[in-house]
Amino acid sequence: MKTFQNLKKLIPPVVAYSCAILFIYAVVSKILDFENFQIQLAQSPLLSAFAGYVAWGVPALEIVLSLLLLSIKGRSMGLFASFGLMVMFTAYIYIILNYSAFVPCSCGGVLEKMSWNQHLIFNIVFVLLSAIAALMNASQPKNKMI
């Protein structure tokens, strides 16, 4: 029983740090190749009309989420927000794969090597991890968090 309790306390921070690393990596990739990121968004059949806003908004949101996830006080909000953002990214990929006549280029960095289907699975894993960690974190007494 003690091992389960320790595991239950360990999962939220591990997932939070993993999500933070993912978002930091993503934002650095976007910033280092910002012009290409904007062009890819402009080519998106769903986002082209909003490409300018999305190009600035997504990296800003990823930075804020990373900061929340790395802080103990912001972790709960960060995990729920990460879940929401990953659901949106996953829904976008699903819609592109299943309802779009044109599939734009994928993300930059290491994730660029993934196919869209692999990226969908990758995102689903992070959606599930974020959901589990957010619920586990919310059920923990605030003075018992790591």
Side-chain angles (χ1 to χ4, degrees):
M1 186 70 169
K2 183 88 168 145
T3 304
F4 178 72
Q5 291 300 329
N6 289 340
L7 186 61
K8 192 174 175 183
K9 286 186 346 188
L10 189 61
I11 289 174
V14 168
V15 172
Y17 296 144
S18 298
C19 289
I21 290 168
L22 175 66
F23 291 138
I24 291 167
Y25 172 77
V27 78
V28 168
S29 292
K30 288 175 181 86
I31 290 170
L32 289 177
D33 198 6
F34 191 72
E35 187 175 329
N36 189 41
F37 175 58
Q38 286 181 305
I39 291 168
Q40 288 175 348
L41 286 173
Q43 293 173 343
S44 168
L46 299 177
L47 300 176
S48 59
F50 311 102
Y53 299 113
V54 173
W56 289 100
V58 169
L61 184 58
E62 289 172 336
I63 290 168
V64 170
L65 285 181
S66 296
L67 293 173
L68 286 171
L69 290 164
L70 293 173
S71 73
I72 293 172
K73 291 184 181 202
R75 183 180 301 150
S76 186
M77 185 187 310
L79 285 167
F80 281 109
S82 293
F83 169 76
L85 185 61
M86 291 306 295
V87 165
M88 287 189 281
F89 286 158
T90 304
Y92 171 76
I93 292 171
Y94 180 81
I95 291 166
I96 289 292
L97 284 173
N98 292 291
Y99 300 104
S100 177
F102 172 71
V103 178
C105 296
S106 81
C107 302
V110 173
L111 299 179
E112 188 172 20
K113 306 297 183 225
M114 289 186 195
S115 71
W116 277 86
N117 286 317
Q118 290 169 329
H119 204 145
L120 180 65
I121 293 166
F122 178 86
N123 280 22
I124 289 169
V125 168
F126 269 89
V127 166
L128 294 173
L129 288 173
S130 296
I132 291 166
L135 294 172
M136 289 175 85
N137 191 70
S139 70
Q140 289 181 12
K142 296 304 171 208
N143 60 350
K144 300 283 184 179
M145 289 204 277
I146 296 174

